[in-house]
Protein backbone atom coordinates (compact mmCIF):
# COMPACT_ATOMS: atom_id res chain seq x y z
CA UNK A 1 0.00 0.00 0.00
CA UNK A 2 1.24 3.46 -0.82
CA UNK A 3 0.18 6.11 1.66
CA UNK A 4 1.01 9.79 1.40
CA UNK A 5 3.96 10.96 3.53
CA UNK A 6 4.67 7.66 5.29
CA UNK A 7 4.83 4.12 4.00
CA UNK A 8 2.05 2.85 6.26
CA UNK A 9 2.32 -0.42 8.15
CA UNK A 10 4.45 -2.17 5.52
CA UNK A 11 7.10 0.52 5.14
CA UNK A 12 6.91 2.89 8.10
CA UNK A 13 8.95 6.03 7.72
CA UNK A 14 9.34 5.91 3.95
CA UNK A 15 8.01 8.91 2.03
CA UNK A 16 5.69 7.08 -0.35
CA UNK A 17 2.83 8.48 -2.35
CA UNK A 18 0.28 7.07 -4.78
CA UNK A 19 0.28 8.11 -8.42
CA UNK A 20 -2.84 7.45 -10.48
CA UNK A 21 -2.39 6.64 -14.16
CA UNK A 22 -4.94 6.11 -16.90
CA UNK A 23 -4.16 4.66 -20.30
CA UNK A 24 -6.18 4.05 -23.44
CA UNK A 25 -6.29 0.72 -25.24
CA UNK A 26 -8.05 -0.93 -28.09
CA UNK A 27 -7.93 -3.70 -30.65
CA UNK A 28 -5.58 -3.46 -33.60
CA UNK A 29 -8.56 -4.30 -35.82
CA UNK A 30 -10.00 -0.85 -34.91
CA UNK A 31 -6.87 0.95 -36.13
CA UNK A 32 -7.65 2.46 -39.52
CA UNK A 33 -4.06 2.37 -40.70
CA UNK A 34 -0.73 0.88 -39.78
CA UNK A 35 0.60 1.47 -36.30
CA UNK A 36 4.35 1.25 -35.68
CA UNK A 37 5.71 -2.20 -34.85
CA UNK A 38 8.16 -0.83 -32.28
CA UNK A 39 7.09 0.83 -29.00
CA UNK A 40 7.25 4.63 -29.01
CA UNK A 41 8.11 6.49 -25.81
CA UNK A 42 8.38 10.19 -25.05
CA UNK A 43 5.72 12.35 -23.48
CA UNK A 44 3.64 9.21 -23.14
CA UNK A 45 3.87 5.91 -24.94
CA UNK A 46 2.36 3.81 -27.69
CA UNK A 47 2.73 0.05 -27.79
CA UNK A 48 1.02 -1.66 -30.71
CA UNK A 49 0.66 -5.27 -31.81
CA UNK A 50 0.41 -6.62 -28.23
CA UNK A 51 -0.69 -10.28 -28.46
CA UNK A 52 -4.05 -11.07 -26.85
CA UNK A 53 -6.48 -13.98 -27.18
CA UNK A 54 -9.20 -11.69 -28.54
CA UNK A 55 -6.90 -10.14 -31.15
CA UNK A 56 -3.83 -7.91 -30.97
CA UNK A 57 -4.04 -4.76 -28.84
CA UNK A 58 -2.56 -1.29 -28.83
CA UNK A 59 -1.93 0.69 -25.61
CA UNK A 60 -1.29 4.40 -25.21
CA UNK A 61 -1.03 6.91 -22.39
CA UNK A 62 -0.67 7.54 -19.59
CA UNK A 63 -1.74 10.21 -17.18
CA UNK A 64 0.26 10.92 -14.00
CA UNK A 65 -1.79 12.19 -11.06
CA UNK A 66 0.11 12.38 -7.77
CA UNK A 67 -1.76 11.67 -4.54
CA UNK A 68 -4.84 10.30 -6.30
CA UNK A 69 -6.18 6.84 -5.48
CA UNK A 70 -9.36 7.15 -7.56
CA UNK A 71 -9.51 4.17 -9.91
CA UNK A 72 -12.58 5.28 -11.84
CA UNK A 73 -11.84 6.16 -15.49
CA UNK A 74 -12.13 9.87 -16.28
CA UNK A 75 -13.35 11.16 -19.65
CA UNK A 76 -10.94 14.12 -19.47
CA UNK A 77 -8.01 11.72 -19.01
CA UNK A 78 -9.16 9.78 -22.07
CA UNK A 79 -9.12 13.03 -24.07
CA UNK A 80 -5.70 13.91 -22.64
CA UNK A 81 -4.32 10.52 -23.71
CA UNK A 82 -5.69 11.03 -27.24
CA UNK A 83 -4.06 14.47 -27.37
CA UNK A 84 -0.80 13.03 -25.97
CA UNK A 85 -0.82 10.38 -28.70
CA UNK A 86 -1.34 13.08 -31.36
CA UNK A 87 1.82 14.83 -30.13
CA UNK A 88 3.79 11.61 -29.74
CA UNK A 89 2.92 10.00 -33.09
CA UNK A 90 0.52 12.03 -35.28
CA UNK A 91 0.06 9.26 -37.89
CA UNK A 92 -0.94 6.73 -35.22
CA UNK A 93 -3.37 9.21 -33.68
CA UNK A 94 -4.98 9.72 -37.10
CA UNK A 95 -5.19 5.93 -37.56
CA UNK A 96 -7.02 5.65 -34.23
CA UNK A 97 -9.24 8.75 -34.53
CA UNK A 98 -12.20 6.66 -35.68
CA UNK A 99 -11.89 4.26 -32.74
CA UNK A 100 -11.80 7.20 -30.32
CA UNK A 101 -14.86 8.80 -32.01
CA UNK A 102 -16.85 5.52 -32.03
CA UNK A 103 -16.11 4.83 -28.38
CA UNK A 104 -14.17 1.67 -29.27
CA UNK A 105 -11.29 2.78 -27.04
CA UNK A 106 -11.18 1.40 -23.51
CA UNK A 107 -9.67 3.09 -20.47
CA UNK A 108 -7.67 1.35 -17.77
CA UNK A 109 -6.67 2.94 -14.48
CA UNK A 110 -3.95 1.79 -12.12
CA UNK A 111 -1.99 3.10 -9.16
CA UNK A 112 1.76 3.34 -8.94
CA UNK A 113 3.81 3.81 -5.81
CA UNK A 114 6.32 6.66 -6.01
CA UNK A 115 8.67 8.59 -3.78
CA UNK A 116 8.62 12.36 -3.45
CA UNK A 117 11.81 12.65 -5.56
CA UNK A 118 10.60 10.04 -8.11
CA UNK A 119 13.56 7.72 -7.41
CA UNK A 120 13.16 4.16 -6.17
CA UNK A 121 13.71 3.37 -2.52
CA UNK A 122 16.00 0.38 -2.07
CA UNK A 123 17.63 -0.91 1.08
CA UNK A 124 17.08 -1.78 4.73
CA UNK A 125 13.57 -1.00 5.86
CA UNK A 126 14.34 0.04 9.43
CA UNK A 127 17.16 -0.25 11.94
CA UNK A 128 14.91 -2.14 14.39
CA UNK A 129 14.07 -4.83 11.80
CA UNK A 130 17.42 -6.22 10.63
CA UNK A 131 17.17 -8.35 7.52
CA UNK A 132 13.98 -6.70 6.29
CA UNK A 133 14.65 -4.81 3.07
CA UNK A 134 12.47 -2.78 0.71
CA UNK A 135 12.48 -2.29 -3.02
CA UNK A 136 9.63 0.12 -3.70
CA UNK A 137 8.58 3.41 -5.28
CA UNK A 138 9.48 2.36 -8.82
CA UNK A 139 6.64 4.61 -9.99
CA UNK A 140 6.05 4.84 -13.71
CA UNK A 141 9.54 3.58 -14.50
CA UNK A 142 9.16 0.14 -12.93
CA UNK A 143 10.19 -1.81 -16.01
CA UNK A 144 13.32 0.31 -16.35
CA UNK A 145 14.28 0.26 -12.67
CA UNK A 146 13.35 -3.32 -11.71
CA UNK A 147 16.40 -5.09 -13.16
CA UNK A 148 18.81 -2.45 -11.87
CA UNK A 149 17.27 -2.56 -8.38
CA UNK A 150 17.47 -6.36 -8.38
CA UNK A 151 21.18 -6.16 -9.28
CA UNK A 152 21.80 -3.64 -6.52
CA UNK A 153 19.96 -5.74 -3.94
CA UNK A 154 21.88 -8.89 -4.88
CA UNK A 155 25.21 -7.05 -4.81
CA UNK A 156 24.51 -5.53 -1.40
CA UNK A 157 23.29 -8.82 0.10
CA UNK A 158 26.31 -10.74 -1.17
CA UNK A 159 29.01 -8.08 -0.80
CA UNK A 160 29.62 -7.94 -4.54
CA UNK A 161 30.53 -4.88 -6.64
CA UNK A 162 27.60 -2.52 -7.21
CA UNK A 163 26.02 -2.13 -10.63
CA UNK A 164 26.27 1.67 -10.22
CA UNK A 165 28.82 4.10 -8.83
CA UNK A 166 28.48 4.33 -5.04
CA UNK A 167 27.03 7.87 -5.10
CA UNK A 168 24.25 6.78 -7.47
CA UNK A 169 23.48 3.67 -5.42
CA UNK A 170 23.29 5.82 -2.28
CA UNK A 171 20.81 8.13 -4.08
CA UNK A 172 18.41 5.16 -4.20
CA UNK A 173 18.97 4.03 -0.60
CA UNK A 174 15.99 3.91 1.77
CA UNK A 175 18.02 5.74 4.40
CA UNK A 176 18.27 8.87 2.26
CA UNK A 177 14.63 9.56 3.12
CA UNK A 178 14.89 9.38 6.89
Amino acid sequence: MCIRDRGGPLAPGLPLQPVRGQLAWGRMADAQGALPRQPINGDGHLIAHVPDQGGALWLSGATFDRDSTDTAPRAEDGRANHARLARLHPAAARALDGAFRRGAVQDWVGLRCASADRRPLLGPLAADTPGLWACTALGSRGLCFAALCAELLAARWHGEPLALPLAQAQALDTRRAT
Side-chain angles (χ1 to χ4, degrees), residues 25-163:
W25 68 273
R27 299 275 173 205
M28 287 298 297
D30 291 329
Q32 300 300 310
L35 297 184
R37 301 249 4 130
Q38 74 283 357
I40 308 288
N41 196 20
D43 175 24
H45 64 270
L46 170 64
I47 305 168
H49 308 282
V50 177
D52 183 69
Q53 290 179 348
L57 304 173
W58 60 268
L59 309 150
S60 184
T63 60
F64 190 92
D65 301 312
R66 285 191 178 276
D67 297 322
S68 176
T69 58
D70 178 14
T71 58
R74 299 176 187 159
E76 64 270 18
D77 285 357
R79 290 187 295 274
N81 281 330
H82 191 198
R84 179 177 286 111
L85 178 60
R87 292 188 305 273
L88 181 68
H89 197 287
R94 284 190 300 275
L96 294 171
D97 277 343
F100 275 93
R101 277 194 309 274
R102 290 190 313 276
V105 174
Q106 305 295 312
D107 293 306
W108 179 87
V109 178
L111 299 177
R112 311 167 185 114
C113 184
S115 66
D117 62 12
R118 298 180 68 185
R119 289 179 296 185
L121 289 158
L122 174 76
L125 195 52
D128 61 341
T129 54
L132 187 57
W133 287 54
C135 179
T136 189
L138 302 179
S140 59
R141 295 174 181 86
L143 289 176
C144 298
F145 279 132
L148 175 63
C149 289
E151 287 287 330
L152 287 172
L153 275 176
R156 289 182 66 191
W157 287 340
H158 298 289
E160 296 175 355
L162 298 176

